[in-house]
Amino acid sequence: MPLRTLALALLLLAAQAAALRAQAAPPGFREEFLLHFNSSSHKLLELARAMPEDRYAWSPGEGVMPVGRVYAHVARYNYHYPQEAMGIPAPAGTDLDRMEEVAAKAEVVELLRRSQEHVRASVRGLTDDQLARPTRLYGRDVPQWPCSSSSWPT
């Protein structure tokens, strides 16, 4: 996949994100978060599905993760963050330590899809009080999820 195609895809994602920010946010954080998460995760999943399998091994340079591993890394974090920051365990049989070793396109796409469902179920299952509890992220105390759209980067 040429860098130009990847850059175009990222530019389109950024433009669509800007359009979403211009729309009125639904009431409540849970709904707002799910609106943004569903939009972003759908685009990422469709990109993973559209990319030819032989390009999953492509890397832009030495020491840089290949594309398929980047998708698996996102899926891993979709399980890791709820587990580490909120005490929501990954489903039984989910091996976070080996997840990024998955390389076949069909397996990576399914891994990404299941991890996105895990995030949705995790967010739907938390109370408002649980969503506002503090946790540690990258060495600092933060709310488990941002409390409102005003705290989201623009």
Side-chain angles (χ1 to χ4, degrees), residues 72-86:
H73 180 77
V74 171
R76 182 183 186 280
Y77 199 79
N78 284 342
Y79 290 111
H80 175 78
Y81 182 77
Q83 181 171 297
E84 292 300 313
M86 300 183 300

Side-chain angles (χ1 to χ4, degrees), residues 111-132:
L111 180 64
L112 194 54
R113 187 197 64 74
R114 283 193 324 261
S115 76
Q116 292 169 349
E117 282 304 315
H118 177 70
V119 170
R120 288 182 191 100
S122 296
V123 171
R124 286 183 191 119
L126 293 172
T127 66
D128 290 342
D129 287 342
Q130 288 172 311
L131 285 169

Side-chain angles (χ1 to χ4, degrees), residues 98-115:
R98 298 186 58 108
M99 192 168 287
E100 292 181 33
E101 295 174 13
V102 174
K105 175 182 176 176
E107 292 177 62
V108 171
V109 168
E110 183 59 16
L111 180 64
L112 194 54
R113 187 197 64 74
R114 283 193 324 261
S115 76

